[in-house]
Amino acid sequence: MPEADDLALARWEVATLTGRLRSVEAERDAALEERDRHRRLMLALRGSRSYRIGRALTDPMAVLRRIRRGRPAAQRRRLPAGPAPARVYVAVGLDRDASHALVRALRQRIVVDGDHLPVVVTDQPSLRGLQVPGVVLEYLPDPETWRRHDPGADWEALLAGRVAQLCRDHRASGAAVIDPRDPPTLARLLSN
């Protein structure tokens, strides 16, 4: 009888793993569909008249330089052939509202100009476990919480190691530290 119990347990484990695999595959398919939908939206937005007017208003000198050189005022950039490179944003010390505003601005930026994958390192507990399509969120406990968890550990070394690991994992083209006193807006993100 114990062999029958072992066989039933093994069947249950295989069924559980199969269900989890199907769930992960469904999440992957949904993420790819979401990415493709955002690319289509981005291309439609870039081709719109209002986007070209907005770009001309935010950087009129670039439009004048293009006109003087005899090039058309609105040149379309092509999407990169492979996956977009990542950029790590270290957003430590932001309050709840500023953290959410930053994630929203990054999300909007990649819809408008999907030239990179934003990877946000944050110590904001309200973002822990949050899933934002097109933005990778990495939660790191704040220094006080980390000291209570591991009193002998250096939090700055933990942060530096985690940022370095994310840069390697996502093949990041660079990293930016967000100033908690002056987090970037969508307009500033688009101008960079």
Side-chain angles (χ1 to χ4, degrees):
M1 196 50 96
E3 291 177 11
D5 291 340
D6 289 342
L7 184 59
L9 179 63
R11 285 185 181 148
W12 179 81
E13 288 175 346
V14 167
T16 302
L17 290 174
T18 303
R20 180 62 186 142
L21 180 61
R22 287 184 182 144
S23 172
V24 169
E25 287 174 344
E27 289 173 4
R28 181 204 61 206
D29 293 344
L32 290 175
E33 184 177 315
E34 182 77 6
R35 181 201 64 192
D36 293 342
R37 185 177 74 80
H38 284 288
R39 279 196 176 151
R40 288 190 303 273
L41 284 172
M42 178 192 61
L43 290 173
L45 180 64
R46 279 187 181 169
S48 71
R49 183 172 183 256
S50 58
Y51 176 78
R52 291 192 307 270
I53 291 171
R55 290 295 281 197
L57 291 174
T58 59
D59 193 6
M61 294 308 291
V63 174
L64 290 174
R65 285 190 299 269
R66 286 185 192 129
I67 291 172
R68 282 189 200 137
R69 289 187 289 219
R71 292 184 186 160
Q75 293 179 351
R76 294 184 183 181
R77 284 189 275 171
R78 295 182 183 205
L79 289 176
R87 183 173 301 138
V88 177
Y89 294 90
V90 181
V92 174
L94 273 71
D95 63 11
R96 182 181 189 280
D97 293 335
S99 296
H100 284 274
L102 174 67
V103 171
R104 188 176 325 107
L106 287 169
R107 176 87 172 102
Q108 292 169 342
R109 185 195 188 287
I110 63 167
V111 169
V112 172
D113 191 9
D115 63 343
H116 74 281
L117 170 71
V119 179
V120 180
V121 179
T122 181
D123 63 345
Q124 180 53 242
S126 66
L127 295 179
R128 182 178 45 201
L130 184 67
Q131 293 184 351
V132 179
V135 178
V136 177
L137 292 173
E138 181 72 23
Y139 173 74
L140 195 66
D142 61 273
E144 292 78 26
T145 304
W146 186 251
R147 283 189 197 99
R148 283 193 308 261
H149 172 73
D150 192 359
D154 181 25
W155 185 83
E156 287 79 15
L158 171 73
L159 175 63
R162 192 66 197 127
V163 169
Q165 184 64 45
L166 287 169
C167 286
R168 283 191 300 271
D169 290 349
H170 295 282
R171 294 183 178 91
S173 62
V177 177
I178 305 299
D179 184 2
R181 297 166 298 185
D182 187 27
T185 61
L186 176 60
R188 282 197 357 228
L189 288 170
L190 283 171
S191 67
N192 292 339

